[in-house]
Amino acid sequence: MEAGTPTPSPTSSPLPLASLNIAPQPLEGARRLLHEWKPRIWRHCTGLCLPAYSGIRGFRFEAHGFVLRDLSYAHQHTDEITGVSGGGSTIDPVVLQYVLTGWIRFENRISAFTLEPGKLLIRDTATPWRFLVGHATVSRWMTVPRPLLAHHLGGSHVLRPYVLCDLADPQAHVLISYLETLRNGDAVHALCPAGRQAAQEAALCLLGGVVSERGTTDSQQLGTAIVAVARRTIDRHLDDPSLSPAAIAAALGVSVRTLHRSFAAEGETPMAYLRRRRLGAARDELARAGAAARIADVAAHWKFSDASHFTRQFKEAYGTTPTTFLRHV
């Protein structure tokens, strides 16, 4: 077993959740380790039980993730396990889940369904749900404080017990794309407090669009969230020569027109943001290399058509040429 450090408080820097890695082993040892493990992401789960047939293969469980202010996000791989999610309290969280492989069965007095790959499930755990996780199920999930989401929706919105939709749905696709950009806890940890707040607000905006009975959020809020997701996508692929508005829009599951309209409200185009970020990365590379830097190589590395084009763009952005910049490094 590998146990991480205690879960940080909601307002602390995003750090890995307390993680657990149980290699296949007999049931009794696995049960003991699970019962001793009390991470924030699992607080709403009770009555965890390993079916007797799990012992035939030996039980495996892995979980890791991070905290972003009030939100918790985790990647999980588990064998068969049952339990109850939610205790019927109004302070229990809203849980977003999607399955990469395997399945999870949910049921209560009113509803019963199976979450499989290709679907996104959002549950209000103020309604208790019994669940059964299938063997070798890989899933990702996020917990959101129920009052926080209700406040974000205006306070008057009544949360439904659950929302089950296709990942191909445009709003769901953008939400999952955004969460995937946050999955690197190191990148999240590097955000300043204002950046973490903005990242949380973007996630809440996109989540609100999926759970809202209207099926959408305020267009300005949604546009802001789309820009946040697009910028993170660009930042992760700065050295990709195929990066274009069409490629970015496809990654987010929106049209190129919607992408451009969202950026226009921020006073910038997607390609202007890409060029600005590549210029910043090129400047950082020049500063690191110093006198040993070859301007043409740096320009090519960051996808500028040639050294003269790079020089013009660099001077326009920073008021000096790369050559002069290097003299003062």
Side-chain angles (χ1 to χ4, degrees):
M1 181 192 74
E2 297 174 2
T5 56
T7 303
S9 65
T11 56
S12 67
S13 298
L15 297 171
L17 292 167
S19 60
L20 184 67
N21 186 339
I22 301 177
Q25 64 171 283
L27 284 183
E28 286 308 314
R31 287 192 181 108
R32 177 179 57 79
L33 294 175
L34 276 174
H35 289 162
E36 293 173 353
W37 189 58
K38 303 294 182 182
R40 171 174 166 179
I41 194 92
W42 271 88
R43 285 180 186 171
H44 60 94
C45 295
T46 59
L48 298 181
C49 181
L50 309 183
Y53 52 81
S54 296
I56 298 174
R57 289 178 290 258
F59 182 78
R60 176 185 176 185
F61 184 97
E62 298 175 11
H64 56 87
F66 61 85
V67 173
L68 173 63
R69 289 185 61 84
D70 304 288
L71 312 181
S72 300
Y73 181 78
H75 174 91
Q76 180 176 302
H77 183 153
T78 183
D79 288 337
E80 296 93 335
I81 189 170
T82 65
V84 177
S85 173
S89 168
T90 56
I91 64 171
D92 283 332
V94 172
V95 179
L96 173 151
Q97 288 177 279
Y98 55 106
V99 169
L100 303 180
T101 61
W103 53 269
I104 307 175
R105 179 71 177 172
F106 293 93
E107 60 181 40
N108 60 19
R109 294 177 301 166
I110 302 173
S111 305
F113 54 85
T114 300
L115 178 63
E116 298 177 321
K119 297 288 186 179
L120 172 66
L121 172 66
I122 300 167
R123 294 181 293 113
D124 182 0
T125 61
T127 300
W129 295 89
R130 287 206 60 82
F131 62 86
L132 169 63
V133 183
H135 177 69
T137 292
V138 178
S139 62
R140 290 179 184 152
W141 56 334
M142 180 175 72
T143 60
V144 181
R146 188 176 188 274
L148 183 66
L149 181 58
H151 175 75
H152 190 79
L153 292 170
S156 60
H157 184 88
V158 178
L159 294 176
R160 287 172 281 175
Y162 74 94
V163 174
L164 184 65
C165 62
D166 292 331
L167 286 177
D169 176 82
Q171 294 243 123
H173 189 92
V174 174
L175 171 60
I176 297 305
S177 296
Y178 181 61
L179 294 179
E180 287 296 310
T181 68
L182 295 177
R183 198 158 65 86
N184 182 345
D186 292 337
V188 175
H189 182 65
L191 293 173
C192 65
R196 293 197 291 273
Q197 177 66 36
Q200 173 172 290
E201 287 301 310
L204 288 171
C205 176
L206 292 170
L207 178 59
V210 177
V211 304
S212 172
E213 292 178 351
R214 300 185 302 276
T216 185
T217 56
D218 176 80
S219 59
Q220 182 177 358
Q221 287 185 320
L222 182 58
T224 299
I226 288 173
V227 170
V229 180
R231 284 174 173 168
R232 289 185 177 278
T233 300
I234 290 170
D235 289 347
R236 293 174 63 193
H237 301 280
L238 281 180
D239 58 354
D240 183 350
S242 66
L243 200 60
S244 66
I248 298 165
L252 271 62
V254 300
S255 68
V256 175
R257 180 180 178 183
T258 296
L259 179 70
H260 279 294
R261 186 169 59 243
S262 300
F263 266 86
E266 303 285 328
E268 191 173 36
T269 67
M271 296 311 289
Y273 178 78
L274 172 59
R275 182 169 56 252
R276 177 162 60 86
R277 293 289 291 114
R278 281 178 170 169
L279 279 169
R283 182 182 60 175
D284 291 345
E285 184 173 334
L286 289 172
R288 288 193 301 270
R294 291 175 55 87
I295 293 174
D297 292 344
V298 172
H301 180 205
W302 294 108
K303 314 309 173 191
F304 291 90
S305 56
D306 53 51
S308 60
H309 176 237
F310 171 61
T311 296
R312 288 195 301 272
Q313 295 288 337
F314 194 96
K315 185 174 183 179
E316 181 178 335
Y318 303 119
T320 187
T321 66
T323 301
T324 303
F325 175 78
L326 284 173
R327 292 197 192 107
H328 297 86
V329 171

